[in-house]
Amino acid sequence: MSGKPVLPRELANRDVDAAVDHYVRDAGSEIALGFIDALQSAYRAINEHPALGSLRYAQELALPGLRCRALKGFPYLVFYIERENQIDVWRVLHSRREIPSRMRDPQT
């Protein structure tokens, strides 16, 4: 177990807020709560086993150590880097979007 805190960056928090707003608006509050539960579960899994995340985008984006983990039951990916004292969550992005461009441009 890593024991390092999982700390989302501001962009990751904005991504989560946008996803929750989308689910509340288009699918209802029960689905939005399910999304939050899936995200918390992913954060726990990342805390316990940070090295299990996929390195798929690390080379493409030239971000050594960048890993991603899918949310169970939702089409979202959590992007993070394990640091010495924490797990740094960069983004939480919809998996059907253009991931490389969204990771490079924080305005998307």
Side-chain angles (χ1 to χ4, degrees):
M1 176 184 269
S2 145
K4 297 175 186 175
V6 176
L7 301 174
R9 290 181 172 200
E10 184 178 337
L11 275 176
N13 286 331
R14 281 194 259 161
D15 295 336
V16 170
D17 290 345
V20 169
D21 288 347
H22 162 74
Y23 283 122
V24 166
R25 183 180 59 252
D26 295 344
S29 59
E30 188 171 318
I31 301 297
L33 289 172
F35 173 81
I36 292 168
D37 288 344
L39 181 64
Q40 290 173 341
S41 178
Y43 283 175
R44 279 191 302 276
I46 291 166
N47 171 270
E48 293 171 4
H49 306 286
L52 292 182
S54 171
L55 290 167
R56 175 181 173 190
Y57 293 99
Q59 187 172 14
E60 183 176 352
L61 295 169
L63 291 170
L66 179 72
R67 295 183 179 274
C68 68
R69 179 174 182 90
L71 266 63
K72 186 174 182 181
F74 292 87
Y76 280 82
L77 300 171
V78 177
F79 290 88
Y80 65 94
I81 294 179
E82 182 177 13
R83 304 285 188 200
E84 186 175 332
N85 297 315
Q86 69 187 43
I87 307 294
D88 187 12
V89 177
W90 284 37
R91 301 292 303 259
V92 178
L93 298 174
H94 196 287
S95 62
R96 295 187 187 124
R97 301 287 192 259
E98 174 57 34
I99 299 294
S101 65
R102 291 179 66 96
M103 289 293 289
R104 286 185 194 106
D105 183 4
Q107 300 303 315
T108 60

